[in-house]
Amino acid sequence: MSLQRKISRRNLKRMVGKSLPVLVEGPSEETDLLYQGRSERQAPGIDGCMLINDFEGPEPKRGEFRWATVTEVGDYDLVHDWRQRSLPSSRQPTIHCRR
């Protein structure tokens, strides 16, 4: 696991400074001081989540998409900063689920 942790952190560091759409899941399970969400690349229960520590505008709502900029990384998680409001409805990502 030690080797995997190093590989994961190295790969995640490449994301710092990039902006991407994030699906808001609500307050973080770790602390009420953070929100958490997921990008289209992250599966619940398998991948890490995105932790949001700062935002402008109205409080994020569960199910909403917002643009987020990666500011920090953990071993498996990304920390984001929201500087823009939610995505316009014409730019909402499409989520595909397999059954």
Side-chain angles (χ1 to χ4, degrees):
M1 282 306 279
S2 176
L3 178 59
Q4 178 58 41
R5 190 173 20 257
K6 290 176 188 175
I7 292 168
S8 176
R9 183 178 283 269
R10 183 183 67 225
N11 288 337
L12 291 178
K13 282 184 180 181
R14 296 178 189 152
M15 298 292 293
V16 172
K18 294 186 180 186
S19 294
L20 58 155
V22 173
L23 173 64
V24 178
E25 292 185 321
S28 170
E29 296 172 359
E30 296 177 21
T31 175
D32 291 337
L33 301 175
L34 299 173
Y35 282 86
Q36 74 181 37
R38 298 195 181 279
S39 75
E40 62 188 1
R41 300 170 26 167
Q42 295 173 304
I46 298 172
D47 298 311
C49 65
M50 297 185 169
L51 301 173
I52 297 96
N53 63 355
D54 191 17
F55 62 91
E56 292 179 353
E59 185 172 326
K61 293 182 175 90
R62 186 182 311 267
E64 175 179 56
F65 283 95
R66 291 213 182 174
W67 282 105
T69 302
V70 179
T71 58
E72 300 173 45
V73 298
D75 291 336
Y76 302 103
D77 298 323
L78 299 170
V79 178
H80 286 75
D81 177 358
W82 281 329
R83 291 296 176 195
Q84 296 178 353
R85 298 190 72 169
S86 58
L87 298 172
S89 57
S90 63
R91 302 263 335 256
Q92 292 288 327
T94 302
I95 303 295
H96 299 281
C97 298
R98 292 185 193 180
R99 292 187 179 228

XYZ file of all heavy atoms in Angstrom:
803
model
N 0.817 -1.192 0.000
C 0.000 0.000 0.000
C 0.860 1.255 0.000
O 0.439 2.275 -0.508
C -0.928 0.005 1.216
C -2.137 -0.900 1.088
S -3.122 -0.613 -0.381
C -4.090 0.773 0.099
N 2.015 1.186 0.587
C 2.892 2.355 0.638
C 3.275 2.819 -0.765
O 3.256 4.015 -1.063
C 4.147 2.031 1.449
O 5.030 3.119 1.437
N 3.596 1.867 -1.623
C 3.963 2.201 -3.000
C 2.762 2.788 -3.741
O 2.879 3.792 -4.445
C 4.483 0.961 -3.732
C 4.863 1.164 -5.201
C 5.945 2.230 -5.336
C 5.329 -0.152 -5.799
N 1.576 2.181 -3.571
C 0.375 2.693 -4.230
C 0.050 4.108 -3.769
O -0.356 4.952 -4.552
C -0.810 1.769 -3.969
C -2.104 2.278 -4.589
C -1.993 2.463 -6.098
O -1.413 1.647 -6.787
N -2.552 3.540 -6.600
N 0.231 4.383 -2.484
C -0.033 5.720 -1.943
C 0.861 6.752 -2.618
O 0.422 7.819 -3.014
C 0.176 5.701 -0.428
C -0.293 6.938 0.254
C -0.256 6.880 1.785
N 0.608 5.897 2.394
C 0.188 4.743 2.942
N -1.075 4.425 2.920
N 1.035 3.914 3.484
N 2.126 6.421 -2.803
C 3.072 7.331 -3.466
C 2.689 7.567 -4.930
O 2.743 8.679 -5.427
C 4.494 6.774 -3.388
C 5.089 6.803 -2.010
C 6.457 6.154 -2.003
C 6.978 6.017 -0.598
N 8.248 5.295 -0.548
N 2.291 6.494 -5.610
C 1.894 6.609 -7.018
C 0.635 7.475 -7.138
O 0.563 8.367 -7.982
C 1.652 5.213 -7.634
C 2.974 4.461 -7.742
C 0.978 5.332 -8.994
C 2.831 2.985 -8.070
N -0.324 7.241 -6.264
C -1.563 8.006 -6.297
C -1.294 9.489 -6.058
O -1.778 10.347 -6.796
C -2.539 7.472 -5.240
O -3.694 8.275 -5.202
N -0.508 9.807 -5.038
C -0.206 11.213 -4.731
C 0.515 11.875 -5.910
O 0.202 12.994 -6.284
C 0.627 11.329 -3.466
C 0.907 12.786 -3.080
C 1.701 12.876 -1.796
N 0.881 12.648 -0.643
C 0.256 13.620 0.023
N 0.336 14.853 -0.405
N -0.444 13.351 1.076
N 1.458 11.185 -6.513
C 2.194 11.750 -7.660
C 1.241 12.047 -8.813
O 1.296 13.101 -9.429
C 3.290 10.790 -8.111
C 4.138 11.363 -9.256
C 5.180 10.392 -9.748
N 4.506 9.261 -10.387
C 4.813 7.983 -10.184
N 5.785 7.651 -9.385
N 4.146 7.030 -10.798
N 0.322 11.112 -9.097
C -0.641 11.326 -10.176
C -1.597 12.468 -9.861
O -1.936 13.257 -10.740
C -1.425 10.045 -10.456
C -0.570 8.997 -11.135
O 0.440 9.299 -11.766
N -0.967 7.744 -10.987
N -2.049 12.558 -8.618
C -2.981 13.618 -8.245
C -2.328 14.995 -8.271
O -2.992 15.988 -8.562
C -3.583 13.342 -6.872
C -4.537 12.153 -6.789
C -5.031 11.969 -5.365
C -5.703 12.317 -7.740
N -1.046 15.074 -7.991
C -0.354 16.369 -8.015
C -0.432 17.024 -9.390
O -0.408 18.244 -9.499
C 1.115 16.221 -7.596
C 1.299 16.100 -6.109
C 2.765 16.054 -5.766
C 2.946 15.939 -4.256
N 4.353 15.903 -3.873
N -0.577 16.227 -10.427
C -0.706 16.779 -11.784
C -1.996 17.555 -11.965
O -2.136 18.326 -12.900
C -0.653 15.645 -12.813
C 0.657 14.922 -12.845
C 0.619 13.796 -13.856
N 1.804 12.979 -13.723
C 1.873 11.706 -14.027
N 0.809 11.082 -14.520
N 2.977 11.030 -13.871
N -2.973 17.334 -11.090
C -4.274 17.995 -11.195
C -4.299 19.391 -10.574
O -5.219 20.163 -10.829
C -5.342 17.134 -10.508
C -5.550 15.769 -11.108
S -6.269 15.828 -12.748
C -7.889 16.460 -12.377
N -3.308 19.736 -9.744
C -3.308 21.031 -9.064
C -3.354 22.163 -10.093
O -2.612 22.170 -11.064
C -2.083 21.172 -8.132
C -1.984 22.584 -7.570
C -2.151 20.159 -7.007
N -4.292 23.098 -9.879
C -4.459 24.233 -10.773
C -5.485 24.015 -11.866
O -5.898 24.950 -12.535
N -5.935 22.784 -12.046
C -6.923 22.491 -13.094
C -8.341 22.680 -12.554
O -8.614 22.436 -11.389
C -6.754 21.071 -13.614
C -5.450 20.877 -14.332
C -5.357 19.521 -14.951
C -4.003 19.420 -15.652
N -3.850 18.215 -16.392
N -9.236 23.118 -13.437
C -10.647 23.279 -13.089
C -11.470 22.205 -13.775
O -11.196 21.856 -14.922
C -11.145 24.652 -13.522
O -10.502 25.650 -12.781
N -12.466 21.679 -13.055
C -13.322 20.655 -13.619
C -14.682 20.690 -12.942
O -14.819 21.207 -11.835
C -12.692 19.270 -13.487
C -12.327 18.767 -12.114
C -12.327 17.249 -12.139
C -10.945 19.241 -11.753
N -15.726 20.162 -13.604
C -17.045 20.137 -12.977
C -17.103 19.076 -11.887
O -16.559 17.986 -12.037
C -17.988 19.791 -14.125
C -17.143 19.172 -15.173
C -15.747 19.678 -14.976
N -17.767 19.439 -10.788
C -17.877 18.553 -9.635
C -19.348 18.430 -9.242
O -20.068 19.422 -9.180
C -17.073 19.122 -8.444
C -17.301 18.320 -7.184
C -15.596 19.172 -8.775
N -19.790 17.199 -8.992
C -21.131 16.948 -8.483
C -21.074 17.074 -6.957
O -20.326 16.360 -6.291
C -21.598 15.541 -8.871
C -22.923 15.087 -8.272
C -24.068 15.959 -8.772
C -23.175 13.626 -8.599
N -21.845 17.993 -6.400
C -21.865 18.218 -4.955
C -22.613 17.081 -4.280
O -23.734 16.745 -4.658
C -22.553 19.562 -4.615
C -22.612 19.772 -3.108
C -21.839 20.711 -5.296
N -21.972 16.475 -3.268
C -22.615 15.408 -2.491
C -23.143 15.920 -1.165
O -23.943 15.262 -0.535
C -21.627 14.276 -2.237
C -21.246 13.535 -3.487
C -20.366 12.345 -3.192
O -19.479 12.440 -2.315
O -20.558 11.313 -3.832
N -22.655 17.070 -0.710
C -23.102 17.641 0.554
C -21.936 17.823 1.501
O -20.774 17.764 1.104
N -22.232 18.064 2.787
C -21.163 18.225 3.773
C -20.269 16.982 3.821
O -20.737 15.865 3.615
C -21.908 18.414 5.097
C -23.263 18.898 4.693
C -23.552 18.239 3.378
N -18.998 17.190 4.118
C -18.044 16.090 4.185
C -18.394 15.130 5.312
O -18.903 15.537 6.358
C -16.638 16.662 4.416
O -15.724 15.639 4.708
N -18.102 13.862 5.090
C -18.296 12.855 6.133
C -17.248 13.005 7.230
O -17.436 12.532 8.341
C -18.229 11.459 5.521
C -19.344 11.192 4.539
C -19.175 9.890 3.772
O -18.159 9.181 3.998
O -20.048 9.586 2.954
N -16.130 13.687 6.915
C -15.032 13.830 7.868
C -15.228 15.004 8.818
O -14.876 14.931 9.979
C -13.716 13.993 7.113
C -13.340 12.789 6.302
C -12.066 12.992 5.503
O -11.267 13.867 5.848
O -11.892 12.258 4.519
N -15.771 16.116 8.312
C -15.943 17.312 9.120
C -17.004 18.216 8.511
O -17.158 18.253 7.291
C -14.613 18.090 9.264
O -14.862 19.324 9.961
C -14.010 18.407 7.909
N -17.709 18.949 9.337
C -18.722 19.885 8.857
C -18.096 21.132 8.246
O -18.803 21.978 7.700
C -19.657 20.294 9.991
C -20.546 19.146 10.439
O -20.753 18.220 9.635
O -21.020 19.184 11.584
N -16.791 21.283 8.345
C -16.104 22.451 7.809
C -15.843 22.340 6.314
O -15.448 23.303 5.673
C -14.770 22.668 8.542
C -14.888 22.883 10.054
C -13.506 22.960 10.682
C -15.712 24.121 10.360
N -16.029 21.158 5.744
C -15.777 20.927 4.325
C -17.021 20.362 3.647
O -17.873 19.768 4.299
C -14.635 19.918 4.137
C -13.266 20.268 4.690
C -12.334 19.073 4.566
C -12.695 21.473 3.982
N -17.096 20.547 2.346
C -18.088 19.878 1.522
C -17.351 18.815 0.716
O -16.136 18.889 0.551
C -18.762 20.860 0.554
C -19.799 21.711 1.225
C -19.451 22.883 1.861
C -21.130 21.325 1.216
C -20.405 23.660 2.478
C -22.092 22.095 1.828
C -21.723 23.263 2.466
O -22.662 24.024 3.077
N -18.071 17.852 0.225
C -17.438 16.865 -0.636
C -18.245 16.690 -1.904
O -19.433 16.979 -1.955
C -17.220 15.537 0.062
C -18.443 14.700 0.288
C -18.097 13.403 1.007
O -17.244 13.376 1.885
N -18.757 12.339 0.634
N -17.545 16.241 -2.931
C -18.174 16.012 -4.215
C -17.347 15.026 -5.017
O -16.349 14.495 -4.530
N -17.749 14.797 -6.253
C -17.058 13.850 -7.127
C -17.019 14.387 -8.535
O -17.950 15.032 -8.996
C -17.784 12.512 -7.150
C -17.824 11.862 -5.817
C -18.195 10.410 -5.889
N -18.231 9.880 -4.540
C -17.167 9.495 -3.857
N -15.986 9.551 -4.397
N -17.279 9.026 -2.632
N -15.944 14.062 -9.213
C -15.868 14.374 -10.639
C -16.381 13.152 -11.391
O -16.645 12.104 -10.795
C -14.422 14.670 -11.062
O -13.671 13.482 -11.152
N -16.478 13.283 -12.694
C -16.956 12.151 -13.495
C -15.969 10.989 -13.479
O -16.309 9.884 -13.885
C -17.216 12.600 -14.924
C -15.979 13.110 -15.625
C -16.301 13.736 -16.972
O -17.480 13.780 -17.351
O -15.363 14.174 -17.635
N -14.760 11.225 -12.984
C -13.730 10.184 -12.941
C -13.746 9.390 -11.642
O -12.982 8.457 -11.482
C -12.349 10.824 -13.085
C -12.161 11.567 -14.358
C -10.894 12.382 -14.379
N -9.860 11.862 -13.512
C -8.610 12.244 -13.535
N -8.222 13.149 -14.389
N -7.722 11.741 -12.721
N -14.571 9.762 -10.670
C -14.532 9.145 -9.353
C -15.809 8.366 -9.052
O -16.902 8.918 -9.079
C -14.338 10.215 -8.283
C -12.999 10.904 -8.405
C -12.888 12.060 -7.456
O -13.720 12.947 -7.484
N -11.861 12.044 -6.628
N -15.650 7.101 -8.713
C -16.785 6.237 -8.375
C -16.947 6.163 -6.861
O -15.961 5.992 -6.138
C -16.555 4.836 -8.934
N -18.180 6.301 -6.355
C -18.410 6.184 -4.914
C -17.966 4.823 -4.386
O -18.196 3.807 -5.017
C -19.928 6.344 -4.776
C -20.373 6.980 -6.042
C -19.396 6.556 -7.102
N -17.324 4.827 -3.237
C -16.905 3.583 -2.613
C -15.654 2.965 -3.200
O -15.133 1.994 -2.674
N -15.158 3.520 -4.307
C -13.959 2.981 -4.939
C -12.844 4.015 -4.938
O -11.745 3.770 -4.471
C -14.255 2.521 -6.386
C -15.284 1.399 -6.371
C -12.977 2.089 -7.097
C -15.795 1.004 -7.723
N -13.157 5.189 -5.485
C -12.165 6.262 -5.580
C -12.325 7.227 -4.413
O -13.335 7.217 -3.716
C -12.362 7.032 -6.892
C -12.149 6.141 -8.102
O -11.129 5.441 -8.147
O -13.015 6.153 -9.005
N -11.338 8.079 -4.236
C -11.434 9.135 -3.242
C -12.495 10.140 -3.658
O -13.132 10.006 -4.700
N -12.694 11.151 -2.847
C -13.658 12.190 -3.188
C -12.924 13.524 -3.302
O -11.728 13.610 -3.060
C -14.749 12.272 -2.134
S -14.162 12.803 -0.521
N -13.657 14.546 -3.676
C -13.106 15.888 -3.748
C -13.599 16.654 -2.529
O -14.802 16.677 -2.253
C -13.563 16.585 -5.020
C -13.069 15.890 -6.246
S -13.513 16.840 -7.675
C -12.552 15.984 -8.890
N -12.692 17.244 -1.798
C -13.044 18.025 -0.627
C -13.010 19.497 -1.005
O -12.050 19.961 -1.614
C -12.070 17.730 0.512
C -12.021 16.267 0.941
C -10.904 16.043 1.949
C -13.353 15.834 1.521
N -14.062 20.231 -0.663
C -14.165 21.634 -1.029
C -14.051 22.461 0.240
O -14.848 22.308 1.170
C -15.510 21.908 -1.754
C -15.574 21.107 -3.058
C -15.664 23.376 -2.048
C -16.279 19.830 -2.959
N -13.032 23.339 0.267
C -12.779 24.088 1.485
C -13.124 25.562 1.386
O -13.063 26.281 2.358
C -11.317 23.930 1.921
C -10.344 24.487 0.908
O -10.733 24.916 -0.166
N -9.073 24.476 1.239
N -13.489 26.052 0.212
C -13.788 27.466 0.067
C -14.716 27.644 -1.122
O -14.545 26.993 -2.142
C -12.485 28.245 -0.164
C -12.675 29.744 -0.056
O -13.701 30.185 0.491
O -11.799 30.479 -0.530
N -15.703 28.507 -0.986
C -16.593 28.761 -2.109
C -17.162 30.167 -2.001
O -17.197 30.759 -0.940
C -17.719 27.728 -2.188
C -18.641 27.715 -1.002
C -19.782 28.503 -0.986
C -18.376 26.916 0.085
C -20.629 28.498 0.105
C -19.224 26.899 1.173
C -20.359 27.692 1.187
N -17.560 30.698 -3.145
C -18.225 31.988 -3.211
C -19.673 31.754 -3.594
O -19.996 30.768 -4.247
C -17.565 32.871 -4.274
C -16.177 33.308 -3.921
C -15.552 34.166 -5.005
O -16.136 34.314 -6.087
O -14.467 34.689 -4.755
N -20.528 32.671 -3.235
C -21.919 32.566 -3.631
C -22.724 31.757 -2.639
O -22.309 31.516 -1.510
N -23.898 31.287 -3.076
C -24.790 30.542 -2.184
C -24.184 29.213 -1.746
O -23.311 28.672 -2.407
C -26.050 30.327 -3.025
C -25.606 30.468 -4.436
C -24.444 31.406 -4.439
N -24.687 28.713 -0.636
C -24.217 27.431 -0.116
C -24.478 26.331 -1.141
O -25.530 26.292 -1.765
C -24.957 27.117 1.178
C -24.461 25.874 1.868
C -25.089 25.704 3.238
O -25.344 26.716 3.908
O -25.322 24.551 3.612
N -23.503 25.440 -1.341
C -23.673 24.345 -2.303
C -24.834 23.438 -1.911
O -25.067 23.193 -0.732
C -22.351 23.588 -2.221
C -21.406 24.505 -1.551
C -22.206 25.408 -0.691
N -25.543 22.929 -2.904
C -26.661 22.020 -2.667
C -26.346 20.650 -3.259
O -25.771 20.549 -4.335
C -27.924 22.579 -3.321
C -28.409 23.856 -2.675
C -29.689 24.307 -3.336
C -30.250 25.496 -2.626
N -29.812 26.759 -3.098
N -26.748 19.609 -2.546
C -26.566 18.228 -3.011
C -27.184 18.072 -4.403
O -28.289 18.530 -4.657
C -27.225 17.272 -2.038
C -26.987 15.815 -2.334
C -27.721 14.927 -1.345
N -27.514 15.309 0.039
C -26.557 14.800 0.840
N -25.738 13.892 0.368
N -26.441 15.199 2.078
N -26.432 17.457 -5.336
C -26.925 17.231 -6.678
C -26.582 18.337 -7.664
O -26.803 18.197 -8.858
N -26.011 19.426 -7.191
C -25.657 20.557 -8.042
C -24.256 20.341 -8.635
O -23.397 19.759 -7.998
C -25.665 21.812 -7.161
C -25.230 23.070 -7.809
C -25.300 24.234 -6.826
O -24.685 24.152 -5.749
O -25.967 25.211 -7.150
N -24.046 20.790 -9.860
C -22.718 20.773 -10.459
C -22.101 22.151 -10.331
O -22.777 23.147 -10.577
C -22.779 20.403 -11.950
C -22.990 18.945 -12.195
C -24.259 18.441 -12.399
C -21.916 18.074 -12.224
C -24.465 17.098 -12.635
C -22.107 16.727 -12.453
C -23.386 16.238 -12.659
N -20.827 22.203 -9.949
C -20.088 23.458 -9.878
C -18.686 23.254 -10.435
O -18.125 22.172 -10.367
C -19.955 23.926 -8.434
C -21.257 24.365 -7.825
C -20.994 25.445 -6.868
N -22.205 25.881 -6.210
C -22.199 26.758 -5.233
N -21.061 27.254 -4.791
N -23.328 27.147 -4.687
N -18.125 24.343 -10.951
C -16.723 24.302 -11.373
C -15.854 24.398 -10.133
O -16.133 25.194 -9.228
C -16.388 25.461 -12.300
C -16.860 25.247 -13.683
C -17.921 25.835 -14.279
C -16.285 24.369 -14.655
N -18.062 25.369 -15.562
C -17.073 24.476 -15.816
C -15.209 23.497 -14.646
C -16.796 23.744 -16.969
C -14.942 22.768 -15.788
C -15.724 22.898 -16.927
N -14.824 23.610 -10.068
C -13.906 23.615 -8.931
C -12.474 23.598 -9.449
O -12.181 22.978 -10.461
C -14.153 22.402 -8.046
N -11.595 24.295 -8.740
C -10.173 24.315 -9.073
C -9.421 23.537 -8.010
O -9.591 23.803 -6.812
C -9.647 25.762 -9.136
O -10.416 26.477 -10.106
C -8.181 25.790 -9.522
N -8.602 22.584 -8.421
C -7.822 21.770 -7.486
C -6.735 22.645 -6.863
O -5.956 23.270 -7.563
C -7.175 20.563 -8.207
C -6.353 19.735 -7.228
C -8.232 19.713 -8.886
N -6.700 22.692 -5.528
C -5.705 23.509 -4.818
C -4.685 22.674 -4.053
O -3.565 23.116 -3.848
C -6.392 24.469 -3.828
O -7.181 23.707 -2.903
C -7.275 25.469 -4.555
N -5.085 21.484 -3.607
C -4.192 20.617 -2.832
C -4.537 19.164 -3.125
O -5.625 18.873 -3.616
C -4.372 20.830 -1.322
C -4.107 22.210 -0.829
C -4.477 22.328 0.646
O -4.111 21.424 1.430
O -5.134 23.309 0.996
N -3.628 18.267 -2.769
C -3.908 16.839 -2.910
C -3.531 16.104 -1.627
O -2.658 16.534 -0.891
C -3.140 16.201 -4.094
C -3.560 16.832 -5.396
C -1.643 16.295 -3.917
N -4.250 15.007 -1.385
C -3.902 14.071 -0.330
C -3.388 12.814 -1.014
O -3.083 12.824 -2.211
N -3.316 11.734 -0.282
C -2.872 10.483 -0.896
C -3.878 10.008 -1.939
O -3.498 9.489 -2.983
C -2.676 9.406 0.163
C -1.490 9.701 1.066
O -0.573 10.433 0.630
O -1.483 9.208 2.205
N -5.174 10.177 -1.645
C -6.208 9.692 -2.550
C -7.295 10.730 -2.857
O -8.165 10.471 -3.666
C -6.879 8.439 -1.973
C -5.900 7.327 -1.709
C -5.471 7.045 -0.426
C -5.384 6.575 -2.755
C -4.562 6.028 -0.179
C -4.472 5.559 -2.524
C -4.060 5.293 -1.238
O -3.167 4.299 -0.999
N -7.265 11.881 -2.192
C -8.305 12.891 -2.341
C -7.749 14.183 -2.927
O -6.559 14.482 -2.806
C -8.951 13.217 -0.986
C -9.639 12.020 -0.374
O -10.237 11.242 -1.123
O -9.573 11.881 0.862
N -8.656 14.960 -3.537
C -8.321 16.271 -4.074
C -9.050 17.328 -3.251
O -10.205 17.138 -2.877
C -8.786 16.387 -5.534
C -8.174 15.395 -6.521
C -8.912 15.465 -7.849
C -6.706 15.685 -6.719
N -8.382 18.447 -2.974
C -8.999 19.567 -2.271
C -9.264 20.646 -3.295
O -8.387 20.985 -4.090
C -8.088 20.098 -1.141
C -8.719 21.296 -0.459
C -7.809 18.992 -0.124
N -10.494 21.193 -3.279
C -10.921 22.163 -4.282
C -11.326 23.487 -3.685
O -11.671 23.589 -2.527
C -12.130 21.617 -5.063
C -11.760 20.565 -6.018
N -11.451 19.301 -5.623
C -11.628 20.585 -7.345
C -11.160 18.582 -6.686
N -11.261 19.343 -7.744
N -11.370 24.449 -4.554
C -11.768 25.804 -4.237
C -12.766 26.208 -5.315
O -12.460 26.121 -6.497
C -10.482 26.644 -4.313
C -10.705 28.099 -4.088
O -11.843 28.512 -3.896
O -9.703 28.831 -4.114
N -13.987 26.580 -4.926
C -14.992 27.008 -5.900
C -14.931 28.506 -6.041
O -15.150 29.224 -5.096
C -16.398 26.643 -5.450
C -16.753 25.232 -5.676
C -16.312 24.421 -6.672
C -17.629 24.447 -4.898
N -16.874 23.191 -6.560
C -17.683 23.184 -5.492
C -18.381 24.703 -3.765
C -18.471 22.165 -4.971
C -19.151 23.700 -3.256
C -19.191 22.437 -3.847
N -14.636 28.983 -7.220
C -14.582 30.416 -7.458
C -15.660 30.881 -8.415
O -15.784 32.050 -8.677
C -13.209 30.824 -8.011
C -12.121 30.686 -7.002
C -12.362 31.634 -5.870
N -11.369 31.444 -4.845
C -11.496 31.918 -3.627
N -12.554 32.571 -3.273
N -10.556 31.720 -2.749
N -16.409 29.966 -8.982
C -17.478 30.329 -9.892
C -18.763 29.704 -9.394
O -18.745 28.702 -8.695
C -17.178 29.834 -11.309
C -15.958 30.468 -11.901
C -15.676 29.912 -13.289
O -16.308 28.981 -13.725
N -14.719 30.488 -13.961
N -19.851 30.287 -9.781
C -21.144 29.739 -9.397
C -21.403 28.450 -10.167
O -20.577 28.002 -10.936
C -22.214 30.772 -9.648
C -21.959 32.000 -8.777
C -23.084 32.908 -8.804
N -24.163 32.281 -8.030
C -25.246 32.895 -7.680
N -25.425 34.137 -8.016
N -26.176 32.287 -7.004
N -22.569 27.905 -9.965
C -22.890 26.629 -10.612
C -22.848 26.746 -12.125
O -22.942 27.823 -12.685
C -24.259 26.127 -10.149
O -25.234 27.090 -10.440
N -22.709 25.615 -12.782
C -22.649 25.571 -14.237
C -23.989 25.985 -14.832
O -25.036 25.627 -14.300
C -22.337 24.148 -14.704
C -21.008 23.556 -14.278
C -20.967 22.084 -14.662
C -19.874 24.290 -14.917
N -23.979 26.728 -15.925
C -25.242 27.022 -16.608
C -25.910 25.723 -17.031
O -25.239 24.737 -17.320
C -24.813 27.834 -17.838
C -23.399 28.224 -17.606
C -22.823 27.275 -16.600
N -27.228 25.697 -17.064
C -27.947 24.456 -17.383
C -27.545 23.893 -18.747
O -27.547 22.688 -18.941
C -29.453 24.678 -17.333
O -29.815 25.705 -18.224
N -27.141 24.754 -19.679
C -26.723 24.266 -20.999
C -25.370 23.573 -20.951
O -24.998 22.874 -21.878
C -26.666 25.430 -21.994
O -25.694 26.371 -21.573
N -24.620 23.728 -19.865
C -23.289 23.135 -19.754
C -23.243 21.999 -18.743
O -22.184 21.534 -18.381
C -22.263 24.203 -19.317
C -22.146 25.384 -20.208
C -21.019 25.341 -21.211
N -19.884 24.536 -20.917
C -18.703 24.987 -20.500
N -18.500 26.247 -20.290
N -17.703 24.161 -20.311
N -24.393 21.561 -18.231
C -24.411 20.490 -17.253
C -23.863 19.214 -17.870
O -24.241 18.835 -18.982
C -25.841 20.226 -16.761
C -26.418 21.358 -15.943
C -25.805 21.460 -14.575
O -25.432 20.478 -13.966
N -25.688 22.666 -14.089
N -22.929 18.527 -17.185
C -22.392 17.271 -17.708
C -23.481 16.201 -17.782
O -24.451 16.232 -17.061
C -21.334 16.866 -16.678
C -21.125 18.034 -15.812
C -22.326 18.907 -15.936
N -23.292 15.251 -18.657
C -24.195 14.117 -18.764
C -23.607 12.961 -17.967
O -22.441 12.630 -18.120
C -24.348 13.692 -20.241
O -24.820 14.814 -20.978
C -25.296 12.529 -20.376
N -24.395 12.382 -17.101
C -23.940 11.258 -16.288
C -24.522 9.978 -16.887
O -25.730 9.875 -17.093
C -24.410 11.405 -14.823
C -23.919 12.722 -14.229
C -23.972 10.215 -13.993
C -22.423 12.825 -14.106
N -23.672 9.018 -17.176
C -24.108 7.741 -17.725
C -23.951 6.668 -16.655
O -22.892 6.534 -16.055
C -23.252 7.357 -18.948
C -23.356 8.343 -20.063
N -24.415 8.371 -20.917
C -22.538 9.359 -20.426
C -24.250 9.344 -21.784
N -23.120 9.954 -21.506
N -24.988 5.923 -16.414
C -24.945 4.829 -15.441
C -25.213 3.518 -16.151
O -26.081 3.436 -17.008
C -25.997 5.033 -14.361
S -25.773 6.529 -13.407
N -24.464 2.504 -15.786
C -24.686 1.170 -16.340
C -25.534 0.370 -15.360
O -25.363 0.455 -14.169
C -23.360 0.440 -16.547
C -22.533 1.049 -17.607
C -21.316 0.213 -17.827
N -20.364 0.951 -18.627
C -19.216 0.502 -18.988
N -18.843 -0.702 -18.630
N -18.401 1.224 -19.708
N -26.412 -0.414 -15.899
C -27.242 -1.271 -15.036
C -27.060 -2.705 -15.412
O -26.790 -3.083 -16.458
C -28.695 -0.886 -15.167
C -28.918 0.470 -14.569
C -30.393 0.759 -14.559
N -30.526 2.069 -13.953
C -31.367 2.346 -13.011
N -32.165 1.420 -12.571
N -31.459 3.530 -12.513
